Amino acid sequence: MQPFTLRRQKLLSALPDNSIALIASGHEQIRNRDTHYPFRPHSDFQYLTGFNEPDAVLALIKTNTMTCHLCLRPKDKEREIWDGLRLGIEAAPDALEMDSAHDINDLQSLLSEWLANKAYVFISFDESTTWIPRLLPIIQQLKRRVRQGISAPHQFSDLDKLLHEQRLIKDEAAQAGLRKAAKVTVSGHLAAMRTARSGIYEYELQASLEQTYKQLGSTHQAFSTIVAGGKNACILHYTENNQLLCNADLVLIDAGAEIDGYAGDCTNTFPISGRFSNEQGIIYDLVLAAQQAALATIKPGVNYDVPHKAAVKVIAQGLWSLGLINATSLDEIINNELYKPFYMHQTGHWLGCDVHDVGEYKINGSWRPLVEGMALTVEPGIYIAPDMQQVDVKWRGIGIRIEDSVLVTETGYECLTIGLPRTRDEIESWMQNR
Ligand code: CA
């Protein structure tokens, strides 16, 4: 049985009786005139079907039985010559383990049939502007047939609440997908390290990294690759990647390959010359110590914010000791967030089909405890802006982030993004021997 089938069954089990859930793959989007962006289905749809075509809708129906139905594009010889092969309606039930498959052009009449005598309709509220105008007239028509003994749904519910909690805990197939994406991601980082030298442009490292992703079977980047040389690293989501790299610079690369619908996410910061300057090395060691402190806290039962607090404490203490923050106590730095000009983001995020994956971070106002099977990133950083007047000029323009992706295990965590040189010594000797 496919993992997608198991996931649909699990979701169906969580739905109340007499309900229908609708999940769309999405449409192709025009980039300019008649050219499209590469299509990538909505993650919810991909997670539940493994099917990658646009213009498809999955319907999960729960009455006294639980059934799965897919509406998709029919075979079309002419369009397939131009745009590529389609799975087609006939092949879909076997290929995707569905109870039935239908022409997407018949969706409206199918919905009239499926919504009859259901009580609840589950859709993503993020998609409600598409779904509600489509579903309400059908529901109104069903209400007019009450004397024929037909009842209409009386409640819309947000499917995200159920489905995203399910996606948050990674099943075996998701764990395997994340491991694979992480492995390719690390290979791309190593390729970029191999390419790095003074006098080339940031986008040349991007090219090495993304070439490796493609060669290893990644169809997309999980997000736009960041290659930030020197002070550009102080811009958190820098993606211009068009500046020259020079020997005195560090380069920060934050990138991830997407494979089989799973995202890799990893950040690596290293010196172009292969040797850290004194100041770069000091800040690097501090960020790495913060990351190790954060990682050390990760295990089931620990609240989500604990790794962040551990990283903040190390960074605050370190910056204070170096004289980069003026304060009378560590508590003052932490309580008044005096570290924020240097470290302004959180220490991580959920990771899965989406790089910033779905799932609540707080429950009833409190940070939720980690659970076996969750995947998250651990990514502290220190960014000393080039115009930060209050620090000595020798520190300015240093931006460092170190990021790994981890899976919460029964007793702790499994690092997914393994294989990169991480300590200062490891990086320097790797760069020397490449
Ligand atoms: Ca990242």
Side-chain angles (χ1 to χ4, degrees), residues 42-44 160 163-170 350-361:
H42 193 288
S43 295
D44 288 339
D160 295 353
L163 179 52
H164 292 177
E165 278 300 300
Q166 186 178 328
R167 275 179 54 189
L168 179 59
I169 311 298
K170 273 60 189 177
W350 303 134
L351 181 72
C353 301
D354 296 305
V355 63
H356 294 163
D357 206 35
V358 294
E360 304 281 354
Y361 288 86

Side-chain angles (χ1 to χ4, degrees), residues 71-252:
C71 298
L72 70 166
R73 302 178 306 180
K75 295 291 280 180
D76 180 331
K77 194 120 196 146
E78 170 78 7
R79 287 308 337 149
E80 289 181 59
I81 286 171
W82 286 90
D83 303 330
L85 293 179
R86 299 177 175 186
L87 177 63
I89 295 156
E90 226 166 87
D94 277 353
L96 302 171
E97 300 181 341
M98 298 283 165
D99 295 292
S100 74
H102 309 267
D103 188 334
I104 187 71
N105 299 302
D106 298 333
L107 181 61
Q108 204 66 11
S109 60
L110 287 162
L111 286 171
S112 301
E113 194 186 305
W114 287 337
L115 262 61
N117 303 318
K118 303 298 180 300
Y120 310 102
V121 181
F122 285 81
I123 51 169
S124 165
F125 279 9
D126 287 341
E127 314 284 326
S128 56
T129 48
T130 316
W131 278 119
I132 305 263
R134 179 149 208 187
L135 295 172
L136 266 184
I138 296 173
I139 292 171
Q140 285 157 352
Q141 270 187 346
L142 289 172
K143 286 178 81 171
R144 286 196 282 277
R145 290 166 64 195
V146 63
R147 283 190 303 282
Q148 299 161 34
I150 289 172
S151 66
H154 60 80
Q155 194 175 309
F156 284 112
S157 296
D158 192 5
L159 182 65
D160 295 353
K161 194 81 187 151
L162 286 173
L163 179 52
H164 292 177
E165 278 300 300
Q166 186 178 328
R167 275 179 54 189
L168 179 59
I169 311 298
K170 273 60 189 177
D171 57 27
E172 241 172 77
Q175 294 187 16
L178 285 172
R179 273 189 205 101
K180 202 167 157 189
K183 201 171 171 196
V184 174
T185 296
V186 167
S187 299
H189 276 284
L190 291 171
M193 287 182 85
R194 228 168 267 128
T195 309
R197 62 187 160 80
S198 182
I200 66 171
Y201 286 88
E202 293 165 340
Y203 54 70
E204 295 181 70
L205 300 196
Q206 181 184 359
S208 289
L209 178 129
E210 292 180 3
Q211 180 190 12
T212 303
Y213 287 180
K214 283 269 186 237
Q215 282 171 334
L216 296 176
S218 159
T219 44
H220 305 79
Q221 267 75 250
F223 54 94
S224 299
T225 301
I226 296 169
V227 180
K231 62 179 174 14
N232 296 334
C234 298
I235 303 166
L236 297 180
H237 289 162
Y238 173 83
T239 52
E240 278 114 333
N241 301 350
N242 60 2
Q243 295 302 302
L244 207 56
L245 297 164
C246 46
N247 257 337
D249 285 345
L250 295 175
V251 60
L252 180 158

